[in-house]
Amino acid sequence: MAADALRVNWEMFAETRPSDRTSLTRPRRLQATESLLERERSSAGRAARHPAERGRRAWLLADPGETVPVLTRPRGGCKWGAVGSAMRVCRGKASDATSPFLINDFWDCLELSSAYPECSGIGARELQPGLVNRITYEVSSEENTRGIPVVQVGIARIGVPSNEEAFDEDELRKRGAHKLDEELTPLLSSVLFNSTGDFTSTEGYIEVLSPGDSPALTQRMVDWWSGATSWFSDALSMQLLLEVDLARGCLSLRLGSWSKEPLVIRVPGMLEDKGSQRPWMPIVQLPAVGQQARIIDLHVVSDG
C-alpha cells in the first residue's frame, strides 16, 4: 500500500503538460503575456486614432456596398529623416523604436527665426498630395524651460542636395538621422503652430475657418495670427493632432484628443508648388535644451 501511494502518476503529467509553465517542450513566461511597456504603447496608439478610423468596420457591416475611406500608414512614418546640429534622435526602449524621441541635447535658440536648421527635425516620410494626412505629435518640455522658448510643429518643404552623397554617414550613425544644412537643405516654405498660441505661414495669407476653443484669436499680419490655446499651461507634455488637407489647403489642430473642437485654418498658398517640386513634410522645432518630441502616428486618408 505504501509503495502504491508513492508511485508517480505519469498520466497526470501527460494531461497537465499543455498548461505546464515549466515544460521544456512548451515553455511559457511567468509574467503576463503583454508587458507594461507594450500596454502603454498600445494605449497611446489607440488614443492617437481618429474616431472615423474606429468606426470604419461598422460602416462595412451596415452597408457593404457603400464606399468607405481608405486609411494607409506609410512604413517608417513615425521616424525622423533629418535633424539639426542641436538635435539627437533617441530610440530609448525597444518599444519606442518605431516612434523615436527627438531631443534638443546641445544648445538653446533664442530666436524662432533661427530655429532652422539647428533646432529642427524633419519626418522621414512625405505627406501625400491631394489627400488628407493626419499627424499626431507628442511634445514635452522641462519645468525650467516652460514658457521661455516655444515649441513649434507643423509642415514644411525643404530642398535636397543634388548629390545624395552630400549626406554625412557619420552624422547618420551619431544622431540617428541625416543632418540638416542651411545651404544643402534650405527651408523653402512652412506652416507652423507654436506653444504660445501663434501660427504663421511663409505661403502668404492665412484664413481662419474655425477658431475652435480659442475665441480670442487676433490677426497680427496676413500670415501671422495669435491668441490660440497655449499647450503647456496645465501640463509639461501634450499630444498635438494635426490634420492636413492637401486637396483644399486646410489644416486643423486639436490638443489632446481628436474629439476636441479643432482650430481650422486655410492657406491657399500651400497648393502652389512655385517650381520647387518638393513635397510637404512633418516638422518640429525645439529651441530649448531638454525639450523633446516624437511622431506617434501618421496616416493618409483617401476616398474609397
Side-chain angles (χ1 to χ4, degrees):
M1 296 295 294
D4 293 339
L6 296 175
R7 184 178 300 170
V8 178
N9 187 352
W10 295 106
E11 293 181 357
M12 181 185 67
F13 279 93
E15 294 174 357
T16 59
R17 180 175 296 175
S19 60
D20 186 4
R21 295 184 182 274
T22 61
S23 172
L24 296 178
T25 58
R26 189 181 178 183
R28 298 173 61 187
R29 296 186 301 173
L30 295 178
Q31 298 178 350
T33 56
E34 186 179 20
S35 66
L36 177 60
L37 294 178
E38 292 171 344
R39 291 199 298 270
E40 290 177 350
R41 181 184 175 189
S42 61
S43 61
R46 287 192 297 269
R49 294 181 185 274
H50 194 274
E53 181 179 358
R54 295 194 295 267
R56 70 184 186 276
R57 181 180 301 177
W59 295 343
L60 288 172
L61 293 176
D63 187 359
E66 185 180 355
T67 59
V68 177
V70 177
L71 280 73
T72 58
R73 283 185 167 81
R75 183 175 182 181
C78 297
K79 295 185 178 182
W80 301 100
V83 300
S85 302
M87 315 300 284
R88 180 169 60 89
V89 177
C90 180
R91 289 178 173 83
K93 302 172 292 189
S95 60
D96 297 331
T98 58
S99 180
F101 283 92
L102 180 67
I103 303 174
N104 185 333
D105 210 24
F106 292 95
W107 63 77
D108 295 333
C109 176
L110 301 181
E111 295 184 6
L112 283 179
S113 59
S114 303
Y116 187 90
E118 282 80 6
C119 299
S120 301
I122 302 294
R125 298 302 298 265
E126 63 191 52
L127 305 184
Q128 297 302 310
L131 300 176
V132 176
N133 301 260
R134 296 187 182 127
I135 315 167
T136 302
Y137 297 100
E138 182 183 78
V139 297
S140 59
S141 179
E142 293 183 349
E143 181 69 32
N144 58 353
T145 64
R146 181 174 61 174
I148 304 174
V150 299
V151 176
Q152 294 198 132
V153 304
I155 58 174
R157 281 191 178 121
I158 63 169
V160 294
S162 57
N163 186 2
E164 294 184 358
E165 295 181 357
F167 288 117
D168 192 343
E169 294 299 326
D170 292 336
E171 289 290 336
L172 177 61
R173 290 189 292 269
K174 179 181 178 182
R175 302 187 185 278
H178 291 291
K179 181 181 177 181
L180 289 174
D181 184 271
E182 192 169 5
E183 295 183 358
L184 296 177
T185 56
L187 181 64
L188 303 178
S189 52
S190 65
V191 181
L192 298 171
F193 300 83
N194 68 43
S195 57
T196 62
D198 291 7
F199 47 95
T200 60
S201 167
T202 62
E203 295 301 284
Y205 175 69
I206 299 177
E207 177 186 2
V208 175
L209 301 181
S210 173
D213 57 356
S214 307
L217 287 178
T218 303
Q219 185 175 14
R220 304 293 183 181
M221 300 179 68
V222 294
D223 56 359
W224 173 26
W225 286 70
S226 64
T229 304
S230 176
W231 303 348
F232 300 135
S233 57
D234 299 323
L236 295 177
S237 180
M238 177 63 67
Q239 282 193 10
L240 309 170
L241 305 104
L242 181 65
E243 184 172 277
V244 184
D245 187 344
L246 292 181
R248 300 188 302 141
C250 295
L251 297 93
S252 63
L253 180 69
R254 295 172 173 87
L255 305 183
S257 171
W258 286 110
S259 61
K260 298 292 184 62
E261 187 69 21
L263 165 65
V264 184
I265 66 173
R266 181 174 178 266
V267 184
M270 286 174 48
L271 304 179
E272 301 176 5
D273 189 13
K274 298 180 180 180
S276 66
Q277 297 183 348
R278 295 298 305 153
W280 289 99
M281 313 280 288
I283 184 174
V284 170
Q285 294 184 334
L286 307 174
V289 172
Q291 293 176 338
Q292 60 185 17
R294 63 173 176 164
I295 301 174
I296 296 179
D297 183 44
L298 169 62
H299 65 267
V300 183
V301 184
S302 60
D303 293 334

